[in-house]
Amino acid sequence: TPCPVCGGCDHDERHQGHTAEELVELAATAPEWGANKPDTPEASRPLTQLGNAERFVDAYGDFLIWVPQWGWRRFDGKRWQRCEDEEVEHQAKSVARGIYREASEEPDQDRRTKIVAWAKTSETVGQISAMVHLAKGDLLQRATSFDRHLTLFNVSNGTIDLATQKIRPHDPADFLTKMSSVEFDPEATCPRWIAFLRRIFRTDPVI
């Protein structure tokens, strides 16, 4: 029976222990790539360590960055937080498994066989480490980029621009690491604060 992933081979020899059923499952469960729009389609990335680093950036470049002074940082949807090396390694494993998806979608049998072989090679410790290491340069961000906007105040339901007094969605491009746990309510009132101001400035209500 032809291999459903590479088109026909000796599974034990070519896939080094993976059965045809396992390869189909790996391809089916491989993650979809991230929202980044790379110049080169994922399927045409080279079957090299650098190619795997590019795959990593394609998949996770929107919410993972490398800060030399701090290490890895991850955008959690609201702010940038510390990301442990083990978390990044886990993401890299997903990228390696995703190469099986490339193989399943490759129409050329010879190319498909090469992709499957590279997918297997990419699952090793050395290749995972190389992928993460080579991706750092493409995801580089300096510590001075963070928390430098003095008029932005991050809250749980968005980011308030104190200059305009308007709230907008959280944006990773703001590079904020801090956040207040409160929710901004544009309809909220502050009677005690207003009463205090009236008492202090009662001789000059314009102020």
Side-chain angles (χ1 to χ4, degrees):
T1 303
C3 172
V5 175
C6 75
C9 64
D10 183 330
H11 303 307
D12 292 333
E13 179 181 350
R14 293 275 186 158
H15 302 323
Q16 303 177 33
H18 281 307
T19 66
E21 292 75 13
E22 287 172 337
L23 289 170
V24 170
E25 182 179 356
L26 286 171
T29 58
E32 296 290 345
W33 296 115
N36 266 10
K37 292 181 170 52
D39 296 332
T40 307
E42 295 88 351
S44 61
R45 293 296 188 193
L47 305 180
T48 62
Q49 290 183 343
L50 182 57
N52 281 0
E54 292 170 343
R55 289 177 175 89
F56 184 87
V57 174
D58 292 341
Y60 299 110
D62 287 337
F63 55 89
L64 270 181
I65 54 178
W66 168 253
V67 185
Q69 300 92 325
W70 301 339
W72 287 100
R73 288 295 183 270
R74 173 178 57 85
F75 187 69
D76 65 2
K78 297 182 179 182
R79 58 177 169 171
W80 289 96
Q81 292 189 306
R82 179 179 177 179
C83 184
E84 300 295 340
D85 291 345
E86 290 79 7
E87 295 180 66
V88 178
E89 183 181 89
H90 178 75
Q91 306 291 10
K93 291 176 184 177
S94 296
V95 172
R97 289 292 176 88
I99 300 173
Y100 288 105
R101 182 182 297 277
E102 292 183 33
S104 70
E105 296 173 352
E106 172 58 53
D108 181 79
Q109 181 173 326
D110 290 340
R111 169 74 177 173
R112 193 184 313 136
T113 300
K114 292 178 181 178
I115 295 175
V116 168
W118 178 247
K120 179 64 177 178
T121 299
S122 298
E123 293 182 321
T124 63
V125 173
Q127 295 293 351
I128 294 295
S129 297
M131 183 195 309
V132 172
H133 176 73
L134 291 173
K136 289 179 178 179
D138 292 325
L139 300 175
L140 182 66
Q141 196 63 241
R142 297 295 176 183
T144 52
S145 300
F146 294 85
D147 299 316
R148 62 181 181 179
H149 301 290
L150 300 180
T151 61
L152 296 183
F153 182 63
N154 217 19
V155 294
S156 62
N157 61 332
T159 301
I160 303 171
D161 188 333
L162 299 178
T164 63
Q165 299 184 13
K166 295 184 181 298
I167 191 170
R168 55 179 172 78
H170 297 105
D171 186 348
D174 291 332
F175 293 109
L176 300 177
T177 65
K178 300 175 176 63
M179 185 184 73
S180 170
S181 59
V182 302
E183 275 194 17
F184 175 71
D185 180 1
E187 305 300 326
T189 59
C190 49
R192 294 181 65 182
W193 174 246
I194 297 299
F196 170 77
L197 293 178
R198 286 174 178 167
R199 186 173 77 252
I200 298 300
F201 298 109
R202 61 177 178 270
T203 58
D204 193 345
V206 175
I207 296 179

